[in-house]
Amino acid sequence: MSKEALGRRIPVLEVFGPTVQGEGMVIGQKTMFVRTAGCDYSCSWCDSAFTWDGSGKQDIRMITASEVWEELRQVGGSTFSHVTLSGGNPALLPQLGELIDLLHAEGVKVALETQGSRWQDWFHRIDDLTLSPKPPSSGMTTDWDVLDEIVGKLRSEGRSYSLKVVIFDEADLRYATSVHHRYPGVTFYLQAGNDDVKEQDSSVLLRRLMDRYLWLVDTAMSSEELKDVRVLPQLHAWLWGNKRGV
C-alpha cells in the first residue's frame, strides 16, 4: 500500500452504539461513536488511556472512510442520525475530513470534542464542536497561543462551538474560571470528573460521582465569576460506570 493510500486511512479502535452521549453540549444525544487511536496528551485521569498508552494497539485498524461508514451501518443499522468522533484526540487526523463529508452526504450530523491543541480545516464542518482544554489536575499544560488561534478561526467563520472544562478540585475550578473569562460569550460547561477510572463496582462509583457533582454544583452556584455556566455530570459514567464501549 502506498504512503498516500495509507495516509487516507483512519486508525480506528472501536465503533459502537447507538448510545447516549454522556458529555458536553450534546449530553443525552443519541449517537454512534467512532473512537480513533492516538493523542498528543497523556492526562493523569484519562478514561481512554488505551487510545494512546500502547495497551490497545492490537485493536487498531487502518480503514477507509467508506469502511467506517459500512461498520457504522453494520453495528447501528438505520437507528441513528448522529456520530461522535472520539479518541484519543481525533484532531490529530487530517484524513477525518473525508469521513465527515461522507457522513453529511448520508444525512448524519457529526460531533467532536478536542482539547484545542491542534487545528484542522474540517473543524468548520463539525456540527457539534466542543473545545475542552485540560485543567491542572490532568498534568498537561495549555498552549494558549494555539487555543487562541483555534478560537479565532472559529469566530472568524461564525462557527458555533462550545467550551468545556472537567473539574476535579479547586485548582481546576480556578483554571475553568480563567478560560471562561478569556473567551467571553461562548457557551461554557463545567463537568464533574471521574477520578477513579478503575473502580469496577458501579454503585460505589455512582455515589462518588454524585458527591463530586453536588460539590461542583454548590461551588458554581455561589461563584460571582461563573454566572453563565452549565454544570454537568458524566452521564455515561453514572449509567454504566467504567464499562467500555457504551
Side-chain angles (χ1 to χ4, degrees):
M1 184 182 300
S2 69
K3 289 184 178 180
E4 182 181 0
L6 184 61
R8 291 197 299 271
R9 291 177 177 263
I10 302 164
V12 173
L13 273 164
E14 54 185 354
V15 174
F16 62 92
T19 185
V20 292
Q21 171 59 260
E23 304 187 359
M25 66 188 296
V26 285
I27 190 168
Q29 170 72 50
K30 181 180 181 180
T31 189
M32 294 291 291
F33 274 83
V34 176
R35 188 182 300 281
T36 62
C39 193
D40 49 334
Y41 277 20
S42 53
C43 296
S44 61
W45 34 251
C46 181
D47 60 2
S48 305
F50 62 91
T51 63
W52 52 263
D53 67 3
S55 62
K57 64 180 181 181
Q58 72 281 357
D59 297 323
I60 299 172
R61 294 167 295 135
M62 299 299 296
I63 57 179
T64 65
S66 295
E67 289 168 334
V68 174
W69 171 243
E70 289 172 7
E71 188 164 341
L72 284 164
R73 288 301 303 271
Q74 181 180 5
V75 175
S78 57
T79 64
F80 66 95
S81 61
H82 191 276
V83 168
T84 298
L85 303 177
S86 184
N89 183 13
L92 298 177
L93 305 172
Q95 65 269 39
L96 278 178
E98 184 177 348
L99 175 60
I100 293 162
D101 291 342
L102 175 57
L103 292 171
H104 284 162
E106 296 291 346
V108 176
K109 291 185 176 180
V110 184
L112 171 79
E113 181 177 304
T114 178
Q115 60 261 41
S117 60
R118 187 75 63 89
W119 169 263
Q120 294 293 346
D121 287 341
W122 49 255
F123 278 12
H124 292 304
R125 310 202 293 280
I126 295 292
D127 300 287
D128 303 306
L129 176 62
T130 300
L131 302 179
S132 182
K134 305 309 177 188
S137 63
S138 70
M140 301 292 103
T141 300
T142 301
D143 187 327
W144 295 108
D145 290 338
V146 173
L147 188 55
D148 286 348
E149 182 180 4
I150 291 172
V151 169
K153 287 181 177 180
L154 293 170
R155 282 177 171 169
S156 69
E157 294 293 330
R159 294 296 300 175
S160 176
Y161 66 99
S162 68
L163 284 159
K164 187 195 82 176
V165 178
V166 180
I167 307 297
F168 289 86
D169 53 34
E170 293 281 359
D172 288 353
L173 200 57
R174 290 192 294 271
Y175 172 90
T177 302
S178 71
V179 173
H180 190 39
H181 289 173
R182 191 180 188 97
Y183 307 112
V186 181
T187 302
F188 192 78
Y189 296 89
L190 302 174
Q191 182 172 290
N194 175 8
D195 64 349
D196 193 355
V197 297
K198 297 186 182 299
E199 176 59 63
Q200 295 303 303
D201 187 327
S202 295
S203 62
V204 171
L205 181 63
L206 178 57
R207 171 49 57 188
R208 185 175 180 87
L209 293 174
M210 289 177 68
D211 288 344
R212 296 187 63 82
Y213 182 53
L214 182 59
W215 168 80
L216 182 57
V217 168
D218 287 345
T219 306
M221 295 309 105
S222 62
S223 171
E224 295 181 358
E225 296 182 283
L226 296 168
K227 293 179 180 177
D228 187 16
V229 299
R230 306 178 188 193
V231 187
L232 302 178
Q234 279 190 317
L235 182 58
H236 59 289
W238 282 39
L239 293 173
W240 297 292
N242 288 316
K243 185 178 179 181
R244 182 174 154 184
V246 290

